[in-house]
Amino acid sequence: TMMPGETPPPPAGTAAAAAACANCGVLQQNINEYVAALIALKQKMIDGDRLLTEYQQKCTDILYFSIKISALRCQVEQMLQKILPLEKCQEELGSLKAELQEKKVCL
């Protein structure tokens, strides 16, 4: 006999169905979290690929500029080798000019 205010126990099949529904809900939540994690991972992979591409471009740029700098250094070295004899000639011309001035004064 039931006391007043008591609810009758649900039939056995209903309890099993409720438990299955709860499990389905947990499973659905787990699937949603798994999908969200996969989407986040895919985004990280895309970001990683982009960063890698940028890094490779910078490496290419550095290599290009290193080659350019080496070429410019060679040009500067060649110019210096041409300038040194010219400076020596300028000194000699200065000496000759001074000598000529002295002779001119003497004459």
Side-chain angles (χ1 to χ4, degrees):
T1 63
M2 287 186 15
M3 299 292 287
E6 253 190 325
T7 55
T14 309
C21 265
N23 286 341
C24 278
V26 169
L27 181 62
Q28 186 61 52
Q29 187 179 345
N30 287 345
I31 288 172
N32 291 345
E33 289 171 7
Y34 179 69
V35 168
L38 280 176
I39 290 169
L41 181 61
K42 187 176 180 183
Q43 189 57 53
K44 283 183 182 178
M45 288 170 71
I46 290 167
D47 292 344
D49 283 347
R50 183 180 47 77
L51 286 172
L52 187 60
T53 302
E54 287 175 12
Y55 174 75
Q56 286 171 336
Q57 184 58 52
K58 285 178 182 172
C59 288
T60 303
D61 291 347
I62 288 169
L63 185 62
Y64 171 77
F65 287 123
S66 295
I67 292 167
K68 283 281 184 191
I69 288 167
S70 293
L72 287 171
R73 280 194 181 131
C74 279
Q75 286 179 357
V76 167
E77 197 61 42
Q78 288 170 358
M79 287 172 73
L80 284 174
Q81 287 173 3
K82 288 177 183 175
I83 287 170
L84 288 173
L86 290 173
E87 285 178 342
K88 198 172 180 183
C89 284
Q90 198 173 14
E91 284 175 25
E92 289 173 9
L93 283 172
S95 298
L96 284 172
K97 190 176 177 184
E99 279 181 42
L100 287 172
Q101 283 295 102
E102 282 176 33
K103 287 182 180 179
K104 187 177 176 185
V105 168
C106 289
L107 293 173

